[in-house]
Each structure stands twice: as C-alpha cells, then as structure tokens.
Amino acid sequence: MARRKVDVAIIGGGTAGMVAWRQARKHTESVLMIEGDRFGTTCARVGCMPSKLLIRAAEAAHEVRQSSRFGIEHGEYRVDGAAVMARVRRYRDQFVDGVLETIEKIPAEQRLLARARFSAPMELELENGDRIDADRIVIATGSRSHVVPMLKAAGSRLITSEAIFDWTDLPESVAVFGPGVIGLELGQALARLGVRVRMFGVGGRLGPIRDSKIREIALEAFNRDFPLDPDARVHEISASEQGVDIRFDDAHGDPVSEGFEWLLAATGRRPNVDDLGLEHSGLALDERGVPRFDPFTLQCGDSPVFIAGDANEDRPLLHEAANEGRLAGQNAGSWPQIRARDRRTPLGIVFTDPQIIQVGELPDEASAEAGRRIASGSISFRRQGRSRVMGRNLGRLVVHGEFGSGRFLGAEMAGPAAEHIAHLLAWAVEQKLTVARMLEMPFYHPVIEEGVRSALYDLNHELKNGPPPAGDCTDCGPGV
Ligand SMILES: Cc1cc2nc3c(=O)[nH]c(=O)nc-3n(C[C@H](O)[C@H](O)[C@H](O)COP(=O)(O)OP(=O)(O)OC[C@H]3O[C@@H](n4cnc5c(N)ncnc54)[C@H](O)[C@@H]3O)c2cc1C
Ligand SMILES: NC(=O)c1ccc[n+]([C@@H]2O[C@H](COP(=O)([O-])OP(=O)(O)OC[C@H]3O[C@@H](n4cnc5c(N)ncnc54)[C@H](O)[C@@H]3O)[C@@H](O)[C@H]2O)c1
C-alpha cells in the first residue's frame, strides 16, 4: 500500500472535476484528479452531445416528412438507421477525443485512474488499497441513471441513456419510461426517426413544466409523434423472446399488451455519492445522502471539502457543473480563504419540439408565502406572425415580474426558437432589468421575439405599469 500527500484531491474527472483541477492549479502544483472509470465526461460520451446529435438527425427526418406543407414534394425517403447511428457515434467520438486531448495535457502525476472513497476525514482510499491524504478535497463524481425496480423485469432488454448511443442501428420499437428531460428528448427523436415509441409516466409530470396550459400544449404536441401517457397504469413488464412485453391500460382505460424491442429507463438520475464512503468522511449528510453544502461557496459544512456538478444534485446541468467546478476548485486552491459567489440565473432548455425552457424565478408557494406579489403575462404562438411563416406556430410563453419594482423575474415557455429566447430572458434577469426597460429594447420584424414583446406588454399591464396590450398592433407589422 502506497501513501501520498497532496494539497488538493479532486474525486471525478468529468466536467466539474476538470474545471476544478484547472482552478486549483492556479494556487498549487500539488493537485491530484482521480477518475474512477473513463475520462471523457458524461456530457461528451453519453449526455448533451450524443443526444443532440440524435435529435438533429430526427429534425432532418421531420423536415423531410413535413415538407409538403410548403409545396415541396419529394419521392420516397427512408431513414438509414445504421447511418444515423454511425454519425452520432462518429461525432460523439470526436467530442470525446477533444476532451481526452485536454486530459493528456495534464501532467501525469496530477491525474490518476482509480475509484476513490473516503477511508477517514481527509483521507481517500483507492481501489488498489493506496491512500491519499489531502488537505482539501473536491467531490465531483457526477450522477448516473436511476432505474426504478419494476423496470428490471425487462432483463437484458432494459437500457439507459448510458448505452443507447452505442447502438449500431435504430431498433424497431422502444418503450420509454419517464417523460422527464431525457425521456422526452430521446423518445421524440427516436419516434421521428421511425422507431415505434410509447412513453409511460407516473403522476402526470411532463418534463420540468409547471404551467398547466404549457403542459397541455406540449402534451398534445408530443402525442402527435408518439403515444405518451404521463400518468400511465402499467400492470406488468416481462421479458420476451423478441424483447419486452408491457401490459397497461390504454387511453380509454382498456387493458392492452404491446411488445417492444427495448425498454428505455429514463426515470431520473442519482448523484454518485452512495459508494464514496461518506460515512467515514465526517461530513453531515442530507436525507438523500448528499453532503450538506453551501450553494454560494460549495463548501461542505465547515470542512475543507467542496462539492460540485451533478454530485450535489442542485442544478444537474452542464454549464452549472462547469461554473461549480470553477468555484469549488478556486476555493479548494485558496483554502482557508474562500469566496462566496452569487449563483447565475437559473436556465434550463429541453431540446424537444416544441423546445421547453425555464428561466429565472418561477412563482411557487414559497414566493406567495413570503408575501411577494408576482404578476404574470403570456402569449400564445398560434397566431404569431413569424412562427406562422415558419410553420412553427405552436406554443406559449409565460413571463413573470415583481409588483412594485417592476423587475422581470423569469419565464417558462414551450415553443419556437425557445433556446435563444431563453438566453435573452436569462440575460435580462441577470441584468436586473425592469419589464418597462426590456420593452425599450429594439425588436426587429418579423421575428419570433416579437412574441416575447407581446408577452412583456401583457406583463407590464398586469404590473400596472402600462396600458393593456393593443391586440393587433398595426404600427408594429402584421402578426406580432
Ligand atoms: C442523456 C443526457 C443528456 C444531457 N443533455 C444535457 C444538455 O443538453 N444540456 C445540459 O446542460 N446538460 C445535459 N445533461 C446533463 C450533463 O451531462 C451533466 O449535468 C454534466 O455532464 C455533469 O457533469 P459532472 O462533472 O458533474 O459529472 P461527470 O461528467 O459525469 O463526471 C463525473 C466523473 O466522476 C467519476 N466518478 C464517479 N465516482 C467516482 C469515484 N468514486 N472515484 C473517482 N471517480 C468517480 C465518473 O466516472 C465521472 O467521470 C445531459 C445528461 C444526460 C445523461
Ligand atoms: N437538455 C438538457 O439540459 C438535459 C437533457 C437531458 C438531461 N438533463 C439533465 O439530466 C437530469 C435527469 O434527467 P431525467 O430525464 O433522467 O430525470 P427527470 O427527473 O427529468 O425525469 C424523470 C421522469 O421519470 C418519471 N418517473 C419516475 N418513476 C417512474 C416510473 N416508475 N414510471 C414512469 N415514469 C417514472 C418522473 O415522473 C419524471 O418525469 C435532468 O434533470 C437534467 O438536469 C438535461
């Protein structure tokens, strides 16, 4: 058994870990990043990038299928599943290679491939028995798919997002469990690529959506591509010779049985903290087993341990993992001097069609209880000019502002160009703009952002800051 002493040990060599390494190294050369599986990051290997590659292929297929709406007729077309998956894997591998090139540049003595766990406070044990004594530790161990127990009946036909991008061809059919972010993105993409998809949820949740009208619009849109029951009654799942059989109640409540080639479990993710020996770490844990930490410093209690990225389960998104890795690495490096940073405006984008976004603060019971008065405005994209031109006039935007100050607080939307609108609105929240100030900004014509302006007019009126929206605003052009 070897023993090694370092200033900063980072557990996990994903996005948060790599960024933490770079920051910590500004303070000391005695940094060690320990990766327990493979370098390359979840985002590049099995997350953001391959999923968006699959979605892009699905968009292309959908555009071809929809082209007759614009008077464009084409002959027979077919989806070449092997070619689709080959492109996904080829680009995925290039993204992973890019990450690995960065890893190669890290001095060999500062990185290690081994699983690590706490054996005592500030002491890590590697799987070969070696020990690392660290002055400061960053936990950046990410998360993994959580498969609810009932799905295990699918046996070898059970798959998660960790494995589907290795498919060399598209399957004939997939039952997707979990209409969350992953289920919706992957399920819709597969359906648009010609795979027979059926999606099952529990309790009625649809992605992260909170607004009931947005939910209704999105649910209707998804159901055009594949059957989705967000509150399904599933009686039995069993492995069959061809794949997996599912007995469930259909939309009319009648029991049916349907066979699928695969069952994709998209029933949430869990932080990789359960096998970290945290019981030896001396850290206080919350009810989920995650170390209690301060979201502004990422410090766990008063200890020199910091937790970043999906591991802390706070905001399990790529840009948050990078931001948190930066802060955790900086604080571990500069310990005992640590900095508190204001969090950036929350920003979430689901890459479905319609895209779903959430930005800033959305009113909830907590804001009502705190006695804050929040006003809301909205717009439907059904009659919005540019959206109609593009044949994408489906969706709704709801915007929120603070009564009195007139400040813009946040928004939720399902609709066209939402990934870009999300950024505009997040930047407005970050700048602490009032709704009135946002309305003074330039708006081109004809653009989808004119719909944002209509929603802001509505909100401004609700904030008692302006007249009611003018309806058809002839001086701004048709269909705004
Ligand atoms: C299908 C899918 C699509 C996604 N799409 C998006 C998207 O479009 N946009 C977005 O913002 N986010 C997306 N995400 C989420 C995003 O990928 C994650 O939030 C982000 O990658 C988390 O980074 P991380 O550094 O926390 O974890 P990771 O990159 O997973 O790194 C954690 C590392 O720790 C290692 N590790 C774990 N335990 C140990 C141990 N005991 N010892 C040593 N090492 C250990 C792991 O092997 C891993 O390499 C997606 C996720 C999935 C699954
Ligand atoms: N575009 C993006 O930014 C993006 C894309 C993919 C993933 N992610 C990240 O990954 C995280 C995890 O995504 P996810 O989709 O795995 O989790 P999620 O929490 O978004 O969704 C899980 C879904 O599974 C459902 N569910 C739970 N038990 C079930 C059961 N027995 N049967 C059917 N449904 C069941 C839940 O009700 C929920 O709808 C996201 O929260 C997000 O942070 C982000």
Side-chain angles (χ1 to χ4, degrees):
M1 180 192 84
R3 243 196 142 92
R4 186 171 161 190
K5 164 89 180 64
V6 295
D7 286 350
V8 178
I10 297 163
I11 318 174
T15 302
M18 287 169 67
V19 179
W21 171 83
R22 195 168 346 113
Q23 288 299 319
R25 221 188 138 211
K26 292 180 181 167
H27 301 268
T28 170
E29 285 293 312
S30 176
V31 183
L32 179 64
M33 181 168 71
I34 309 162
E35 166 53 45
D37 185 8
R38 292 182 299 174
F39 285 112
T41 76
T42 289
C43 175
R45 279 193 190 282
V46 292
C48 332
M49 302 316 282
S51 59
K52 268 76 251 175
L53 285 161
L54 191 74
I55 290 167
R56 181 62 199 117
E59 284 168 354
H62 190 67
E63 279 155 21
V64 173
R65 201 174 302 121
Q66 297 275 304
S67 69
S68 59
R69 284 195 304 165
F70 300 98
I72 315 293
E73 299 298 341
H74 51 79
E76 283 291 298
Y77 83 96
R78 110 190 145 81
V79 174
D80 180 343
V84 167
M85 292 313 296
R87 181 177 187 269
V88 168
R89 285 181 287 113
R90 188 168 67 250
Y91 278 74
R92 185 260 328 254
D93 291 347
Q94 289 172 12
F95 291 124
V96 171
D97 286 348
V99 177
L100 296 180
E101 278 170 27
T102 309
I103 293 288
E104 284 297 312
K105 290 184 191 138
I106 298 178
E109 67 281 7
Q110 296 188 4
R111 56 185 154 92
L112 194 68
L113 269 180
R115 287 198 80 73
R117 56 199 321 275
F118 283 86
S119 38
M122 308 315 291
E123 183 190 80
L124 301 177
E125 180 182 10
L126 306 184
E127 53 201 332
N128 65 0
D130 287 358
R131 303 277 161 127
I132 311 283
D133 295 300
D135 269 357
R136 290 91 81 183
I137 292 174
V138 175
I139 301 172
T141 46
S143 63
R144 63 179 186 279
S145 291
H146 167 69
V147 178
V148 295
M150 66 181 267
L151 305 184
K152 296 195 173 139
S156 63
R157 286 301 165 153
L158 176 68
I159 197 162
T160 65
S161 57
E162 274 91 359
I164 73 162
F165 303 112
D166 283 329
W167 277 340
T168 51
D169 202 347
L170 288 168
E172 183 273 327
S173 53
V174 180
V176 180
F177 276 74
V181 185
I182 293 179
L184 290 175
E185 285 190 353
L186 298 182
Q188 186 182 44
L190 291 171
R192 288 188 166 188
L193 287 165
V195 177
R196 176 168 54 85
V197 169
R198 182 179 281 278
M199 197 176 293
F200 302 88
V202 282
R205 276 184 56 191
L206 189 67
I209 301 176
R210 297 220 208 141
D211 180 87
S212 60
K213 286 191 188 145
I214 293 180
R215 181 184 175 283
E216 210 175 288
I217 291 168
L219 184 58
E220 195 189 318
F222 293 129
N223 262 300
R224 283 184 205 160
D225 285 332
F226 54 91
L228 189 179
D229 183 348
D231 194 13
R233 275 185 64 101
V234 176
H235 301 294
E236 194 184 2
I237 296 171
S238 54
S240 68
E241 246 171 57
Q242 290 77 26
V244 51
D245 285 335
I246 301 177
R247 272 203 316 114
F248 59 96
D249 285 351
D250 69 10
H252 312 289
D254 297 325
V256 284
S257 185
E258 193 173 341
F260 298 89
E261 216 175 311
W262 290 97
L263 187 159
L264 171 63
T267 45
R269 292 179 66 82
R270 293 286 180 275
N272 290 322
V273 292
D274 46 340
D275 192 27
L276 258 188
L278 287 173
E279 63 281 15
H280 307 298
S281 68
L283 301 173
L285 309 182
D286 68 15
E287 55 292 340
R288 303 159 305 165
V290 176
R292 291 189 188 280
F293 71 101
D294 177 345
F296 298 103
T297 60
L298 303 178
Q299 186 184 10
C300 301
D302 293 328
S303 75
V305 179
F306 302 85
I307 184 162
D310 282 17
N312 68 32
E313 227 188 3
D314 188 20
R315 296 183 187 177
L317 297 169
L318 189 276
H319 66 281
E320 296 287 356
N323 291 342
E324 292 178 9
R326 200 169 300 123
L327 180 58
Q330 146 81 36
N331 280 342
S334 64
W335 171 266
Q337 259 73 53
I338 63 166
R339 273 199 212 156
R341 291 241 177 99
D342 202 1
R343 308 296 305 266
R344 291 188 199 175
T345 299
L347 169 62
I349 300 170
V350 186
F351 294 88
T352 45
D353 180 17
Q355 293 185 334
I356 299 161
I357 59 164
Q358 289 179 324
V359 172
E361 185 184 340
L362 302 179
D364 59 9
E365 284 167 14
S367 40
E369 273 167 27
R372 281 181 85 193
R373 284 181 68 190
I374 294 178
S376 306
S378 63
I379 186 228
S380 157
F381 283 89
R382 206 163 57 83
R383 287 168 45 79
Q384 204 270 327
R386 183 63 189 279
S387 308
R388 285 170 72 188
V389 167
M390 295 170 68
R392 313 205 57 152
N393 53 325
L394 178 106
R396 176 180 164 83
L397 166 67
V398 183
V399 286
H400 307 287
E402 187 178 53
F403 210 81
S405 71
R407 252 185 62 195
F408 177 65
L409 294 177
E412 185 168 43
M413 170 177 170
E419 64 178 286
H420 306 297
I421 288 171
H423 282 83
L424 279 184
L425 296 179
W427 294 3
V429 176
E430 195 75 34
Q431 294 291 315
K432 303 185 171 36
L433 296 186
T434 62
V435 176
R437 181 76 187 103
M438 289 166 78
L439 284 167
E440 287 165 8
M441 299 290 168
F443 287 86
Y444 211 78
H445 175 74
V447 292
I448 288 167
E449 285 74 4
E450 288 172 300
V452 176
R453 181 174 59 186
S454 300
L456 291 174
Y457 273 133
D458 188 23
L459 172 58
N460 211 35
H461 176 61
E462 294 298 325
L463 289 167
K464 308 255 181 288
N465 261 343
D472 277 344
C473 167
T474 42
D475 56 345
C476 358
V480 293

